[in-house]
Amino acid sequence: MAGLEKILADIEEEARTAAGNKTDAAHKEADQILADARKDADEAVRKIRAETERQTQDLAKRQISAQALARRQMMLAARQEILNDALARAKKSAMSLPVKEYFDLCLSMAAKAAEKHDGRILFGQNDLDRMPADFMDRLKAALPDGAALTLGTSPAKIGSGFILDYGGVEEDCTFDAVFAERESEFRDICREILFREEA
């Protein structure tokens, strides 16, 4: 019996040793799995943080861009309003010049626009009523060679400025038409004067 007990004790000891070894190996494997899981979790957290930071920076950049665009659009709208106001004031100023300066301007415009043949110059009723007596004589003297203009007998249905009529072919020299035709040129001049310091 003693031999059998010895064999059983040896088997039991081997089983305990094997079980202890397996338990140790299982603990080591569990520790390794846990360490790997922690490492993977840390890496995942790092990536999530990096992606969140990148998205936050992108969002901030887009917000800054959107604000800059909105500011530029507001500045452009303000400039357009200032330019429109400046043009309206310039037009109003030209239309409300004192009589002498107004007709001096009309004379200069007519002399430049006149064609080298006979035509008529047509004014609105308001301008006919206040036209200086020597205007047509001064205009005839200012016209280029070959150009001749007579004063139309009927008032034109216009505000300020005049119309040159060459046998039914008309050149609109009203202030409205001149300002409309040369609006981009006038805007460039106003822009240069008003926004010179910003350039």
Side-chain angles (χ1 to χ4, degrees):
M1 268 305 197
L4 182 58
E5 287 178 11
K6 172 95 172 107
I7 292 172
L8 287 174
D10 287 344
I11 291 172
E12 190 176 330
E13 184 60 32
E14 279 182 34
R16 274 194 197 131
T17 301
N21 288 342
K22 284 187 180 182
T23 302
D24 288 346
H27 282 285
K28 284 183 184 177
E29 188 177 342
D31 288 346
Q32 186 60 46
I33 289 170
L34 187 57
D36 289 345
R38 281 190 183 132
K39 184 177 173 185
D40 291 346
D42 288 346
E43 180 64 17
V45 167
R46 187 194 64 74
K47 285 181 179 177
I48 290 169
R49 282 186 181 151
E51 180 61 18
T52 302
E53 179 68 23
R54 186 191 65 74
Q55 289 177 355
T56 302
Q57 288 175 358
D58 286 350
L59 184 61
K61 285 177 186 174
R62 283 196 301 272
Q63 185 67 23
I64 289 167
S65 259
Q67 289 172 347
L69 177 62
R71 183 178 179 278
R72 284 194 301 274
Q73 288 172 336
M74 286 172 49
M75 290 291 289
L76 181 61
R79 281 183 171 192
Q80 285 300 108
E81 188 175 330
I82 290 168
L83 287 173
N84 290 342
D85 184 57
L87 286 173
R89 286 174 184 241
K91 186 174 168 183
K92 185 177 180 182
S93 175
M95 291 177 172
S96 59
L97 283 170
V99 172
K100 181 183 180 330
E101 286 87 350
Y102 176 86
F103 281 98
D104 285 349
L105 178 60
C106 287
L107 188 143
S108 173
M109 289 169 57
K112 288 178 185 172
E115 297 180 12
K116 294 188 176 184
H117 52 91
D118 292 349
R120 294 182 312 146
I121 186 167
L122 310 171
F123 285 94
Q125 186 64 57
N126 183 52
D127 287 347
L128 288 173
D129 291 344
R130 64 189 187 134
M131 183 180 290
D134 65 343
F135 176 77
M136 288 306 296
D137 291 333
R138 290 175 55 224
L139 177 59
K140 285 177 186 173
L143 291 173
D145 290 340
L149 292 172
T150 57
L151 182 61
T153 54
S154 300
K157 294 181 181 178
I158 58 172
S160 54
F162 55 90
I163 293 174
L164 296 180
D165 178 23
Y166 294 97
V169 177
E170 295 182 346
E171 183 171 348
D172 190 345
C173 296
T174 61
F175 287 2
D176 287 334
V178 170
F179 270 82
E181 180 183 324
R182 301 182 65 191
E183 181 177 355
S184 63
E185 180 184 341
F186 292 150
R187 280 185 181 280
D188 289 343
I189 292 167
C190 288
R191 195 176 288 114
E192 172 66 24
I193 292 168
L194 293 172
F195 307 116
R196 186 177 298 142
E197 290 82 24
E198 294 181 17

